[in-house]
Amino acid sequence: MAGKARVARPAAGPQWTPEQVVELAVAHDLAELEIESSGLRVRVVRGHAPVTVAAPVPAVSGSLSQSEAAAPVADAVPGAITIEAPMVGTFYRATNPEATPFVSEGDTVKEGQTLCIIEAMKLMNEIESKVAGRVIKILVENAQPVEFGQPLFLVEPRR
């Protein structure tokens, strides 16, 4: 990642949403970004945490990216679509600990159906399926931190 940036906007300027701050950090490949506007300060620190994948991953010298680590699972089902985290945050399978999860492995989903929630900066963001099909694998444990671009679900598209 490139580096750090600090942005200050005049009080009369437009407000930044947390999603816009994350997108800005990603677009410019910044490891850290801090934005202050109208007395509100938003700080994004990007890093790459290791990903736990349920399928065996062959040992390779060097480190694997999150997408490469999920590749063996995706390759097991030809045509599987990977649903990735659009932001850094905490992954939740349901609206609260007592609620039924949005989806389970084997469930059929529609395009646009909520699969999970990612909490980012105290905001709950519903993550939707980008394809209709069957959930093959859930790649993240409930209440675990996730990184931008981290694989969350494998979905076999409906044919």
Side-chain angles (χ1 to χ4, degrees):
M1 285 183 223
K4 297 181 181 181
R6 181 175 167 83
V7 177
R9 286 202 170 196
Q15 292 293 316
W16 290 90
T17 66
E19 291 81 10
Q20 289 171 321
V21 176
V22 171
E23 288 173 13
L24 185 62
V26 171
H28 295 282
D29 196 29
L30 297 172
E32 186 173 329
L33 174 65
E34 185 174 314
I35 293 181
E36 190 169 335
S37 177
S38 301
L40 176 67
R41 183 171 46 160
V42 178
R43 182 171 181 239
V44 175
V45 178
R46 296 177 55 219
H48 296 286
V51 175
T52 303
V53 178
V57 177
V60 178
S61 61
S63 64
L64 295 175
S65 72
Q66 293 162 344
S67 297
E68 290 169 332
V73 178
D75 292 342
V77 179
I81 303 294
T82 303
I83 307 294
E84 298 175 344
M87 65 191 67
V88 174
T90 304
F91 173 90
Y92 293 107
R93 292 190 59 205
T95 55
N96 66 61
E98 293 80 35
T100 304
F102 291 107
V103 296
S104 297
E105 290 179 5
D107 285 358
T108 301
V109 295
K110 297 181 270 188
E111 185 174 347
Q113 179 177 337
T114 301
L115 300 174
C116 65
I117 292 174
I118 294 181
E119 177 185 7
M121 298 170 53
K122 304 293 182 195
L123 293 175
M124 300 298 182
N125 301 280
E126 292 184 355
I127 308 306
E128 299 175 346
S129 180
K130 56 186 175 183
V131 64
R134 183 177 61 88
V135 177
I136 300 167
K137 191 78 182 154
I138 300 172
L139 302 169
V140 180
E141 294 294 322
N142 192 47
Q144 294 300 306
V146 294
E147 296 293 326
F148 174 83
Q150 179 176 342
L152 304 175
F153 297 90
L154 287 180
V155 178
E156 180 180 36
R158 186 179 302 149
R159 295 193 171 119

